[in-house]
Amino acid sequence: NAGVTQTPKFRILKIGQSMTLQCTQDMNHNYMYWYRQDPGMGLKLIYYSVGAGITDKGEVPNGYNVSRSTTEDFPLRLELAAPSQTSVYFCASSRGTGVGSNQPQHFGDGTRLSIL
Amino acid sequence: TQLLEQSPQFLSIQEGENLTVYCNSSSVFSSLQWYRQEPGEGPVLLVTVVTGGEVKKLKRLTFQFGDARKDSSLHITAAQPGDTGLYLCAGSNTGNQFYFGTGTSLTVIP
């Protein structure tokens, strides 16, 4: 079972460049999430989606954009890369049965992004 | 602002010892999850607690949700090298978001 697949695994960008981090899941989950993980800071939610065509901002959305045209895919876009966006990015999905859902989040293996 | 604070941040113990990791907040959560993350991988769910005072056991791991649903603890009995990893708590309120704690990095020395 593939679960949540993220590509690329590693990437180095120059300041001002743009890129898209890809995330796809094959579990037919409604909910999908993008987090960034910085040393000693846990995971911070960037954006999330409760279904195709619906997206919402998380704690740290500035500098990022997302789209959810299908249930399976939830790409994260960086338009003008900045050094502060150097981080490890994780995509996750869950069945999400409603408000305050207790469903587990299934995570991908992450994308390590460096902005130089 | 960090909604969930974990302590200790780092913990290094000998195999066979017991340990407790804490996850504290001033906010009330409708549910709380514990995850373990290994280097180069994403977090993997260990348990979800939803009721104040709830205790759940997973082999040598015991999880407790505080009576007021503001805090939680993870106790490991007779730690083994395979328990090494980053332990993360994550709380959910009435919305669709989970707030992650700062993490506890555990090293169990053989």
Side-chain angles (χ1 to χ4, degrees):
Chain A
N1 291 333
V4 178
T5 302
Q6 292 184 237
T7 57
K9 293 189 183 303
F10 305 93
R11 184 72 184 269
I12 298 174
L13 283 182
K14 293 183 178 178
I15 296 172
Q17 285 186 319
S18 61
M19 77 163 293
T20 299
L21 280 66
Q22 301 292 344
C23 175
T24 186
Q25 52 94 5
D26 61 359
M27 296 172 283
N28 201 31
H29 285 168
N30 288 325
Y31 286 31
M32 296 188 74
Y33 310 82
W34 272 106
Y35 294 91
R36 59 176 290 171
Q37 185 174 35
D38 301 310
M41 296 297 292
L43 282 83
K44 296 285 190 180
L45 183 65
I46 304 171
Y47 270 95
Y48 68 100
S49 169
V50 300
I54 305 169
T55 62
D56 271 303
K57 295 179 180 179
E59 294 179 78
V60 290
N62 291 342
Y64 307 94
N65 279 301
V66 293
S67 60
R68 186 91 184 272
S69 56
T70 67
T71 299
E72 294 78 18
D73 300 306
F74 191 41
L76 177 71
R77 178 90 178 155
L78 282 71
E79 290 293 350
L80 288 171
S84 62
Q85 293 178 305
T86 293
S87 188
V88 182
Y89 291 84
F90 286 99
C91 178
S93 73
S94 72
R95 194 143 42 100
T97 57
V99 171
S101 169
N102 302 323
Q103 295 299 317
Q105 295 180 69
H106 299 263
F107 285 83
D109 286 337
T111 294
R112 291 186 176 275
L113 181 62
S114 295
I115 316 294
L116 304 176
Chain B
T1 303
Q2 192 70 40
L3 282 182
L4 284 165
E5 297 286 345
Q6 287 185 241
S7 61
Q9 187 174 1
F10 299 97
L11 188 56
S12 181
I13 62 171
Q14 294 289 331
E15 182 177 359
E17 291 184 349
N18 302 331
L19 67 113
T20 301
V21 175
Y22 299 93
C23 174
N24 295 303
S25 176
S26 57
S27 301
V28 175
F29 293 102
S30 60
S31 67
L32 195 137
Q33 297 180 338
W34 282 94
Y35 290 80
R36 183 169 73 204
Q37 183 180 19
E38 299 192 14
E41 299 181 6
V44 176
L45 181 72
L46 295 173
V47 78
T48 301
V49 285
V50 298
T51 306
E54 181 177 4
V55 176
K56 280 192 174 180
K57 292 192 175 184
L58 184 66
K59 296 183 181 178
R60 294 177 292 101
L61 279 61
T62 302
F63 304 85
Q64 183 162 9
F65 202 10
D67 290 340
R69 289 185 287 127
K70 291 183 178 182
D71 54 83
S72 181
S73 64
L74 158 60
H75 182 79
I76 300 179
T77 303
Q80 298 178 2
D83 296 326
T84 293
L86 179 68
Y87 289 82
L88 296 160
C89 63
S92 174
N93 50 26
T94 55
N96 296 312
Q97 300 186 32
F98 276 90
Y99 298 91
F100 277 80
T102 48
T104 294
S105 180
L106 172 65
T107 301
V108 181
I109 302 167

